Amino acid sequence: MRAVVFERYEELPEVTEVADPVPSAGGVVVRVEATGLCRSDWHGWMGHDPDIVLPHVPGHELAGVVEAVGAGVTGWRPGDRVTAPFVSACGTCPDCAAGDHQVCPHQTQPGFTHWGSFAEYVALDRADVNLVAVPEELSYATAAGLGCRFATAFRAVVARGRVAAGEWVAVHGCGGVGLSAVMIAAAAGARVVAVDTAPGALELARRLGAAHTVDARAVTDTAAAVRELTGGGAQLSLDALGSPATAAASVGGLRRRGRHVQVGLLPAAAGPAPLPMERVIGWELEVLGSHGMAAHAYPPMMEMVRGGLLRPDLLVTSTIPLDAAPAALAAMGTAPGRGVTVILPGSTPESPPRPGDGGGPSR
């Protein structure tokens, strides 16, 4: 199969021929129809993830068709349309028994613990625990984001953040996760303040429901700007980027008894995040982490997507062929984000996306 491979960190990957994957016992091989280009993939390429072994194929946001099943798989067969959380849980440990698959201590992650979905095929573990069916009316490009960015934002806002109608929600960082959080919070009836440095990202945040936007380049104190816009601070704030500055600003923009959810990765190379712990204590703030969403928790989100209350298709602003993926991955460190880029491994620069593979629903 063709795949994006890098042999050294921070060196431009290449598209090359590699061996096809085979399904493990209990696992499947999926023919990748679409895979999202995520900042987590960039972190992996930069060498920020200790699980990666070189040479490596990145990619963890995917949707496609089951190609082959391993021994013991009972719930899936070749031809099924699927996506999957980026965390492949074991399904048997105490955490999984409690329903907390997203923090399974035995988890595997395509694109990190093993080769990922920037390829024509990808292997996924423990299919009966981790796969999610993709409805016929949902395009593969839209469904790909449900494996990481959109599902991660949904759980961060709804389950961890406990968003309520009428609350103020601040979202720091308007990449794929942040824009998803803006849409989800607005759909829940919250009033959203979106913070970013890219005008295009802020414009898209407004289109997705943000009541206010803050250009972090134009203010000296983003936390103070959020407090002013919200009349005292947000009830819920998310750091969807992952940096010491955005984490501290997210906490600093809360009102008393507010809730901070850390979603963006904080690589060790960035140094410690200096959170204002005296305010956390004195104001009884909650500091929470959020790490994806288990497959069994998808149905409420999928129903909102199918019903049109949530529109993840609106986040997909470009689709590219596999040959364009190496340059697009490398550019994530410097190019300002605006929406979600989806890789279509079966397309070429000369061929348009196949029906059902574009950004919108294939209704």
Side-chain angles (χ1 to χ4, degrees), residues 2 96 106 119 128 147 155 167 169 215 223 249 287 337 348 361-362:
R2 298 175 75 238
C96 287
H106 310 298
D128 288 332
R155 186 167 180 275
E167 287 189 326
V169 176
D215 185 341
V287 178
T348 67
S362 54

Side-chain angles (χ1 to χ4, degrees), residues 248-272:
S250 179
V251 174
L254 290 170
R255 67 181 61 198
R256 296 172 190 272
R257 308 210 77 217
R259 310 176 300 280
H260 161 75
V261 182
Q262 186 65 41
V263 185
L265 296 174
L266 286 157

Side-chain angles (χ1 to χ4, degrees), residues 4 6 11-15 35-43 45-46 58 118 149 317-344:
V4 174
F6 61 86
E11 288 191 10
L12 192 68
E14 294 184 353
V15 178
T35 180
L37 181 64
C38 179
R39 189 169 176 83
S40 298
D41 301 313
W42 177 82
H43 278 296
W45 174 68
M46 289 291 292
F118 286 12
R149 272 176 279 206
T317 52
S318 66
T319 57
I320 60 173
L322 195 65
D323 289 318
L329 175 65
M332 292 196 81
T334 55
R338 188 182 186 276
V340 172
T341 296
V342 173
I343 301 161
L344 305 177

